[in-house]
Amino acid sequence: MESRLALVRATHLINYISALRTVGAPVDRDLAHSKLPRHVEETPDLYVSVRVAMEWVARTGHDLHPMELGLLGARNASLSSLRPVQQAVIMTAQTGLRRLEALVALSRSEDSVLEMSVRQEAEDVRVICDMAGFAGHPHLCFAEWLNLQAVISVVRSVAGPLWCPSELCFVSSHRLPEAVHKAFPNTRILVGRPHTSVVVERAYLARSTNASVASGDQQKGRADEWQFVGLLRKMVQPYLNDGRIDVAFAAEMAGISTRTLQRRLKLCGSSYSQILQEARFELACTSLDDPTLKVIDVAMMAGYESPQHFTRAFRRFTGVTPTDYRGQSFQALSETE
C-alpha cells in the first residue's frame, strides 16, 4: 500500500501565483474560493496538496497555454526557492555532478512524490524528474516545469547563467507554443515521453566549484517524516487557523475516503485528533524559533483557542512553557556560535 501523500512545499506554488499576478489573472478571487490555504503566500515553508495546487493553477490560468504557463512559473523559480540550509548543501558541493546529486538527495523534502535520479548516457548525464502516480494527470506539466528548472538552476550555478540543456523531455503531451521554443532555441524538446528529464553535458558537471563538501549529516533526510502520518501532519498545518480541519476535509485533500483515512491512521497506531495535536505542536516549535513572532502569534498560527490553551498543550508535550522552550532554544543556539 502506497504510504505517501502528494505534498509540495508552498513556495513552489507561490512561483505560479506570482506569474499569474503578472499576467493579470484573478489570483485573490480564485484563492478565496479554493481549497488552498487562504494565506498560502505568507507560509512558503508549509505544504499543500500537489493535486489541489495543480488544479488551481490550471483553473486560474486557463487563458494561457499550459506549457506557456509552466514556463512562466519556472522562470520565477531558482535555487533561492530552496531553504537556506538546502541551498548551502548544494552550493558547497565540489563539482557540478555533486551539486546535482545533492539536489536529488534533497528533492523529496520539497515534493513528497518527486523521484529524481541521475543516469550516465555516453558523454552526457540525464537527470530524471518523475512525479510518482501523476503520469496521466492533465496538469502534470506545471510540476514538470518546476522540477526541470531546479536542475537547470543547479547546472547554471556551475556552467553560467546562459547555459541551456541539449534536451528536455516531458511526460505531458501538450503541444509546444512558440514561447517555449524562443526560451530554449537550441534545445531539443520532446513531449509524451516515458520520463520527465533533462540532458546535461558531462563536461559541465565535471567542473570544480572550489567549494568544500557538505557534511553527510546535512544531506540525510528524515525518511520517517514522509510516511503517511508525517505527511498528513504537514498537509493539515496550513489550515490550522482556517477552521477547515475536520477529518472529512482532510480526507478530501488526501484524495481518499474518510473511512480509508481513519483506517490507515489506525494501522499506524494513530488517530486524526492525535494528528491535529502533533501538527499544532510541530508548527508551534518551528514558529517559536523565529524571534520576530510573539508567543500569542504562534498560538494563533497553530490554531490554539487561546494563549492559555497553547501553554497547557505545549507543556504536556515538552514539560516546559512556550516561553521557556524559546529561551532554551536561543541559549543552545548562542552556545554553538
Side-chain angles (χ1 to χ4, degrees):
M1 180 175 62
E2 175 60 59
S3 63
R4 281 182 283 164
L5 296 177
L7 301 183
V8 63
R9 199 157 65 91
T11 190
H12 304 295
L13 169 61
I14 294 171
N15 287 324
Y16 275 105
I17 292 177
S18 298
L20 288 166
R21 287 192 188 281
T22 299
V23 299
V27 170
D28 294 322
R29 183 199 69 189
D30 285 5
L31 278 177
H33 295 90
S34 75
K35 295 176 183 177
L36 291 168
R38 294 184 179 90
H39 305 291
V40 66
E41 292 172 278
E42 300 172 12
T43 55
D45 285 333
L46 298 186
Y47 291 79
V48 296
S49 162
V50 172
R51 175 178 55 83
V52 171
M54 290 198 300
E55 290 173 356
W56 180 86
V57 170
R59 184 169 58 254
T60 305
H62 68 276
D63 289 336
L64 291 173
H65 186 283
M67 292 296 273
E68 185 172 356
L69 178 53
L71 174 64
L72 291 176
R75 282 175 170 169
N76 286 332
S78 67
L79 287 177
S80 63
S81 299
L82 300 175
R83 296 182 179 92
V85 171
Q86 294 175 321
Q87 294 177 46
V89 170
I90 292 172
M91 296 306 292
T92 54
Q94 286 181 307
T95 66
L97 180 59
R98 290 289 179 259
R99 285 187 177 181
L100 273 182
E101 290 172 343
L103 175 67
V104 169
L106 295 167
S107 60
R108 188 64 65 79
S109 66
E110 298 295 306
D111 187 321
S112 67
V113 293
L114 175 55
E115 297 183 343
M116 294 187 74
S117 60
V118 177
R119 301 179 185 176
Q120 305 289 337
E121 292 187 357
E123 299 302 317
D124 299 321
V125 168
R126 184 179 298 274
V127 185
I128 308 294
C129 311
D130 287 343
M131 295 285 289
F134 280 81
H137 197 285
H139 311 311
L140 174 62
C141 68
F142 300 139
E144 289 186 290
W145 270 111
L146 290 182
N147 296 335
L148 292 172
Q149 181 60 40
V151 177
I152 291 171
S153 295
V154 168
V155 178
R156 284 178 174 171
S157 73
V158 178
L162 299 181
W163 176 86
C164 284
S166 58
E167 181 178 290
L168 288 175
C169 293
F170 292 84
V171 173
S172 301
S173 298
H174 298 292
R175 67 173 179 83
L176 297 173
E178 187 61 26
V180 173
H181 290 297
K182 287 183 177 180
F184 295 94
N186 300 313
T187 299
R188 182 186 185 206
I189 306 177
L190 304 173
V191 299
R193 310 303 291 177
H195 302 284
T196 305
S197 66
V198 53
V199 173
V200 184
E201 299 90 333
R202 191 180 300 180
Y204 289 115
L205 300 182
R207 293 181 181 179
S208 172
T209 62
N210 297 317
S212 60
V213 178
S215 70
D217 290 341
Q218 284 180 299
Q219 297 193 33
K220 288 180 181 177
R222 289 174 52 193
D224 59 333
E225 185 178 356
W226 294 105
Q227 298 306 309
F228 183 76
V229 292
L231 283 167
L232 191 60
R233 282 196 298 267
K234 292 185 179 299
M235 189 185 75
V236 302
Q237 282 180 351
Y239 301 94
L240 290 175
N241 65 352
D242 267 6
R244 295 184 292 172
I245 54 172
D246 60 274
V247 65
F249 181 78
E252 181 182 4
M253 295 297 293
I256 57 180
S257 69
T258 300
R259 183 177 179 181
T260 299
L261 174 65
Q262 293 173 324
R263 182 173 66 250
R264 292 185 69 171
L265 286 175
K266 185 176 181 180
L267 289 173
C268 294
S270 186
S271 66
Y272 187 64
S273 61
Q274 183 176 340
I275 291 295
L276 286 180
Q277 293 175 15
E278 293 170 349
R280 287 192 175 100
F281 173 72
E282 183 177 276
L283 180 58
C285 287
T286 301
S287 301
L288 284 171
D289 289 336
D290 184 350
T292 66
L293 293 176
K294 297 179 181 179
V295 171
I296 189 173
D297 296 330
V298 175
M300 297 300 103
M301 184 184 303
Y304 289 97
E305 298 174 358
S306 67
Q308 294 77 21
H309 181 208
F310 174 41
T311 298
R312 289 194 298 270
F314 196 89
R315 191 192 291 272
R316 285 198 301 271
F317 271 97
T318 65
V320 297
T321 67
T323 301
D324 291 337
Y325 174 87
R326 168 174 274 177
Q328 292 173 3
S329 296
F330 289 169
Q331 181 179 356
L333 179 62
S334 64
E335 290 175 351
T336 60
E337 294 178 342

